[in-house]
Structure formats: structure tokens, C-alpha cells
Amino acid sequence: QLQLVESGGGLVQPGGSLRLSCAASGFTLDFDAIGWFRQAPGKEREGVSCISSSDGSTYYADSVKGRFTISRDNAKNTAYLQMNNLKPEDTAVYYCAAGLDITTIQAMCARPHFFGSWGQGTQVTVSS
């Protein structure tokens, strides 16, 4: 089966860190752009960070620049999102997604419909 599985979410205090993982099964991520999206209660799903399949171009939402880092390890068929200095407003369900690069990574991260494969999501809660 084609599947993306997120892990690494949980409860963390403000200022803490989490590392999310996105493991693919049934297909390879080598030729796909990867995106991390999040959705908080009452808010629209937003692109947090995305990375291209080829040249490593990345995009970060303004709200997470300098705090989050996206990476990928094609040999492990896994993508990651390192989240540092977490804030309460980062609380959301985080989803990873994969899709063929058909436009710039910035444009893809702004449009979730560019991604055809999605994980089930992992809850991140930032609270004291």
C-alpha cells in the first residue's frame, strides 16, 4: 500500500523542540517534493515547510523561519521536520505530503492540492 506515516508529535513546553518524521512505504520519495502542513482548530490548513526533489530548494512559512528545518534522507525513504523554540501557536495536527515537482517549491507549498499522497497526521501540542 502507498502510505506516509508521521511520528514524533506530542506534548512539549514552550521553547522546547520536537523532531517529526515522515516514513514512506509502497513507493520511493526520490522523485517527489515533500511538504509539511499543519491545521489548527478553526484555521485553514497551511504549508509550513516544503523541499524539492532535486536541488534541495526549500520554503518556510514566515511564522516558522529560523525555528523549523526541513530535511530528507532518500536512502531511508524518510523526511523530517526539526522544530525548535516551539510556541503555543504552533499547536496543530501536522501532516506530511508528497507530490511530483510541477512548479516552484514555494508555489507547491501554498497549494495543498499539488500533493497527492498524505499521511494521517500527528498532534503537536505546545503548552506549559
Side-chain angles (χ1 to χ4, degrees):
Q1 56 182 358
L2 302 179
Q3 190 173 11
L4 294 171
V5 179
E6 301 96 336
S7 62
L11 175 64
V12 65
Q13 294 184 348
S17 298
L18 287 173
R19 181 179 171 88
L20 304 184
S21 297
C22 175
S25 62
F27 68 103
T28 178
L29 294 176
D30 291 14
F31 307 109
D32 286 344
I34 299 169
W36 286 97
F37 296 79
R38 68 186 181 187
Q39 188 163 23
K43 289 187 173 293
E44 190 174 358
R45 185 172 298 187
E46 66 170 334
V48 177
S49 182
C50 299
I51 186 168
S52 71
S53 64
S54 55
D55 63 2
S57 298
T58 58
Y59 164 84
Y60 295 92
D62 288 343
S63 60
V64 306
K65 285 181 179 177
R67 300 189 297 120
F68 290 11
T69 303
I70 190 171
S71 62
R72 62 191 299 161
D73 187 338
N74 288 346
K76 296 181 179 179
N77 217 24
T78 302
Y80 307 93
L81 184 68
Q82 179 67 46
M83 305 187 296
N84 298 326
N85 305 121
L86 283 161
K87 304 175 180 180
E89 52 263 43
D90 295 318
T91 296
V93 177
Y94 284 71
Y95 301 88
C96 68
L100 293 174
D101 299 63
I102 60 173
T103 184
T104 66
I105 197 64
Q106 179 178 1
M108 290 191 67
C109 220
R111 302 282 186 177
H113 67 261
F114 283 132
F115 294 86
S117 300
W118 290 82
Q120 83 290 345
T122 185
Q123 177 71 47
V124 172
T125 302
V126 185
S127 176
S128 59

